[in-house]
Amino acid sequence: MLSRLKKILGPEHNRALHGYLAWLLAYCILEGLSVVLLVPVLRALLSGEMAVAAQWLMVMAAMIVLTCFARYRQTMLSFGLALTVLTTLHERLGDHLARLPLGWFGSEKVGRLSRSATGGTMMVTNVFAHLLGPVVGGVLTPATIAVAMVVLDWRLGLTALLSAPLIYLAHRGSTHWIGRSEERVDAAGALASSRVVEFARNQPTLRAFGRTSEGYAPLEAAIQEQKQAGGSMLAQTFPRLFAGGLSVQLAFAALVAVGVMLALQGRIAAAELVALLALAARFVGPLAEAAARSGLLRIADNDLRRIASVFDEAPLPEPAHPQAPSEPGAIEFDRVDFAYRSGESVLRELSLRIPPRSMTAIVGASGSGKTTLTRLLMRFFDVDVGQVRVGGSDVRAQTSAGLMAQLSAVMQDVYLFDDTLQANIRVGRPDASDDEVAEAARLAGVDEIVARLPQGWQTRVGEGGTALSGGERQRVSVARALLKNAPIVLLDEATAALDPENERYVQNAIARLKRDATLLVIAHQLPTVMAADQILVLENGAVAEAGTHTELLARGGRYAAFWHERRRARGWRLGAEASA
């Protein structure tokens, strides 16, 4: 747990963490010694030795003062660390996430991160504020008392020491099971949350097929699993916590039994027995407190592990001596091999070159590696073998900021922020003037959208751009690319699902981008493919054919087959429209 706390707090807070732990240990030991001093005090009082009792009381008072000071110090430090977690953890997570490879951000990991960053943050705070102190004190203070009992009466001390394994095994089994149950509850909660979001986002599809009245089976199954996991944890936690508490009470009963037996046999004075039994009562008190909170601490440790695992993710390596682009706008793949974590190779010995200020279209069957090309260019992942060069330099030899400054991406699935139209376009270049934003919007056809909206530029588009149609969102994305004015523009199926009007606007914008930038286009639309200076046909992760539209048609190979297939599909669509 200590290593996880260090990761979460960060190295700059190691000194504060060590200071807190040192004061916590001091407090627990001092508390144990203060309790031990009850024995000589009670022994003297019961024997009528008031002067001796007064002396021991003074020693005990001094020890209590030291204990209170140590308690104050560790309490203030614990609250300070709790506040540190509340005020800095989200920022540290954000800073670390900003340095992770973009390929890390899958939907499952993002959903898990969301849960950990909310509930997990509060649980980490509780570790310092309410859990770690009582649990550590519940172990260390009784240990101090047990050692003292060995000195005061070895028989009772040995009884206390022999009961330790029983208590340890009972608590270990209890907390281990609670931890596993919490992991199941957490997994079920994460799945249920994902299903709720899925259910909300897919309402148009579900309603179109009449699935809302009958319920959504994946969501209902996830909720049922969540209920079962939570109910199982509640039903089975009590007996295990009871077993842990019972082990503590059995230890106390054993101490009482041994003490009474010794007194009946005359091996210990009655006054001394009373004092030692008072000490035994203080021996089990902190243990009972630890038993009550150890399960919560194990649950908190699960949250610590989940948050620490995010910090364990290796950030994208940044070069110590970054290289500047030597050929702005150039793209080159040099004998690249790449495989996702699933293991199967996606690209194999892939080599290609795209000269500056040219347009290259990538075509190929699904799974041939088209989208993987754009991901490697943007360094979502690093290649296994070979080099990917942007602007004449290996992407791994450039800083992330320097690389992304050369690239602008227009994808099929566009995400717009819940902000105004103007703010969403300005994402492309935040320092752009209003005139530059307006010009980019005009070239992409967004000005026509602005004229129709009630609040014009200040119209909020909703989360994900829900206030706009898919084609309108695509126009905003193209406007971003125009505004950024990067030397390389990546278009991944940007016109695949557009109606004729939106496609016309996007095609005009692509023509404008082609004047000043290198375009890498993944497309199946015939006009887009025909307009390319170079067409690359991918198959099984390698370039199967390369050339112009005319050259590839003349070869009668894979591209020609693709071309004729698309022509037939287009003819069927036009025929259907004409008959309508």
Side-chain angles (χ1 to χ4, degrees):
M1 177 178 284
L2 180 59
S3 61
R4 293 169 185 158
L5 288 173
K6 287 183 176 181
K7 287 178 184 176
I8 291 171
L9 288 169
E12 64 273 19
H13 297 292
N14 279 350
R15 183 175 180 180
L17 177 61
H18 292 155
Y20 162 70
L21 293 175
W23 279 108
L24 176 59
L25 294 176
Y27 162 67
C28 295
I29 294 172
L30 289 171
E31 183 182 35
L33 293 175
S34 298
V35 172
V36 168
L37 288 173
L38 279 172
V39 174
V41 170
L42 289 175
R43 183 187 294 164
L45 286 173
L46 294 174
S47 301
E49 300 174 358
M50 297 304 173
V52 175
Q55 292 176 357
W56 281 113
L57 278 173
M58 291 177 64
V59 175
M60 185 177 178
M63 189 65 70
I64 290 174
V65 170
L66 291 175
T67 303
C68 291
F69 179 74
R71 168 74 171 178
Y72 170 79
R73 289 293 300 157
Q74 73 91 17
T75 300
M76 296 305 295
L77 288 171
S78 70
F79 287 152
L81 289 171
L83 288 174
T84 297
V85 172
L86 282 175
T87 56
T88 66
L89 180 55
H90 287 167
E91 182 178 356
R92 291 195 68 244
L93 276 173
D95 291 342
H96 185 71
L97 291 172
R99 296 186 293 119
L100 292 180
L102 292 174
W104 181 85
F105 294 89
S107 59
E108 180 182 349
K109 288 186 177 179
V110 171
R112 165 61 57 208
L113 177 65
S114 176
R115 287 179 62 85
S116 296
T118 50
T121 299
M122 294 306 301
M123 189 59 78
V124 176
T125 302
N126 284 334
V127 168
F128 292 112
H130 306 297
L131 298 177
L132 193 58
V135 173
V136 172
V139 174
L140 195 55
T141 298
T144 304
I145 294 174
V147 172
M149 289 180 71
V150 171
V151 176
L152 295 170
D153 188 292
W154 67 270
R155 294 156 297 189
L156 287 174
L158 183 61
T159 303
L161 292 177
L162 290 176
S163 66
L166 170 66
I167 297 171
Y168 171 77
L169 291 174
H171 283 289
R172 181 176 175 80
S174 173
T175 56
H176 178 71
W177 188 92
I178 290 173
R180 292 184 60 185
S181 298
E182 190 275 338
E183 289 176 354
R184 182 188 171 195
V185 170
D186 181 78
L191 178 61
S193 298
S194 299
R195 293 304 187 194
V196 168
V197 174
E198 182 181 67
F199 179 72
R201 287 181 174 174
N202 294 304
Q203 279 298 300
T205 302
L206 292 170
R207 294 188 186 190
F209 290 93
R211 303 301 301 171
T212 53
S213 59
E214 300 177 5
Y216 182 51
L219 174 59
E220 293 177 352
I223 292 175
Q224 184 63 29
E225 172 61 22
Q226 187 180 28
K227 289 180 179 178
Q228 290 178 353
S232 175
M233 183 176 181
L234 288 175
Q236 299 185 44
T237 293
F238 175 76
R240 285 168 172 80
L241 290 177
F242 176 77
L246 180 62
S247 66
V248 174
Q249 299 307 319
L250 287 175
F252 180 65
L255 288 170
V256 172
V258 170
V260 171
M261 182 181 67
L262 292 173
L264 292 175
Q265 294 177 354
R267 298 181 182 180
I268 187 173
E272 187 170 352
L273 174 62
V274 171
L276 289 172
L277 289 182
L279 187 60
R282 291 301 304 153
F283 170 77
V284 299
L287 285 173
E289 179 74 8
R293 305 204 186 199
S294 57
L296 288 175
L297 186 62
R298 178 55 188 267
I299 293 174
D301 189 45
N302 286 346
D303 281 311
L304 285 173
R305 176 176 48 79
R306 287 188 281 264
I307 295 176
S309 68
V310 178
F311 289 106
D312 286 336
E313 293 288 341
L316 197 66
E318 293 283 347
H321 304 287
Q323 296 179 7
S326 58
E327 191 181 5
I331 297 174
E332 187 174 1
F333 284 71
D334 185 7
R335 291 178 292 182
V336 168
D337 285 358
F338 175 74
Y340 291 103
R341 289 186 178 180
S342 57
E344 184 176 354
S345 293
V346 180
L347 302 180
R348 304 172 184 86
E349 286 284 326
L350 177 72
S351 294
L352 61 89
R353 174 175 168 76
I354 301 174
R357 295 190 178 183
S358 66
M359 178 176 174
T360 297
I362 307 289
V363 298
S366 177
S368 59
K370 302 185 300 295
T371 299
T372 301
L373 289 181
T374 62
R375 291 175 176 172
L376 294 179
L377 283 171
M378 293 185 286
R379 210 183 171 196
F380 282 26
F381 308 93
D382 281 335
V383 299
D384 300 324
V385 178
Q387 288 186 337
V388 177
R389 302 188 187 97
V390 171
S393 299
D394 192 323
V395 295
R396 293 167 294 190
Q398 304 180 49
T399 64
S400 298
L403 174 64
M404 296 311 296
Q406 303 174 68
L407 302 172
S408 187
V410 180
M411 302 300 182
Q412 182 178 4
D413 297 322
V414 178
Y415 187 86
L416 301 184
F417 298 97
D418 186 12
D419 207 335
T420 65
L421 260 176
Q422 187 180 57
N424 271 282
I425 295 176
R426 201 183 289 277
V427 168
R429 184 153 54 92
D431 60 348
S433 66
D434 290 345
D435 290 341
E436 289 173 321
V437 173
E439 178 62 13
R442 184 188 67 79
L443 292 172
V446 179
D447 57 341
E448 182 269 335
I449 303 173
V450 173
R452 288 189 280 107
L453 295 175
Q455 297 178 347
W457 281 109
Q458 300 308 311
T459 302
R460 300 186 72 88
V461 300
E463 183 180 357
T466 53
L468 304 179
S469 69
E472 290 170 339
R473 291 195 294 271
Q474 195 65 271
R475 284 194 246 172
V476 174
S477 179
V478 172
R480 285 175 177 171
L482 287 163
L483 183 63
K484 186 174 182 179
N485 196 28
I488 298 173
V489 180
L490 311 175
L491 297 105
D492 190 350
E493 300 284 9
T495 61
L498 300 183
D499 58 69
E501 180 185 6
N502 283 305
E503 184 177 357
R504 175 171 57 84
Y505 280 115
V506 174
Q507 290 288 1
N508 291 339
I510 290 175
R512 174 64 181 81
L513 287 166
K514 188 178 177 182
R515 298 180 193 174
D516 303 314
T518 304
L519 267 61
L520 177 62
V521 182
I522 298 173
H524 291 97
Q525 299 285 18
L526 298 184
T528 304
V529 175
M530 291 177 61
D533 302 310
Q534 175 184 215
I535 301 170
L536 302 176
V537 181
L538 292 190
E539 186 176 58
N540 296 324
V543 177
E545 293 181 338
T548 65
H549 169 71
T550 304
E551 292 170 348
L552 294 178
L553 275 185
R555 293 178 192 173
R558 294 175 178 83
Y559 176 76
F562 159 79
W563 169 259
H564 293 305
E565 179 185 349
R566 298 301 298 173
R567 285 288 297 270
R568 286 194 299 270
R570 188 179 183 188
W572 293 334
R573 183 178 62 190
L574 291 174
E577 291 173 354
S579 63

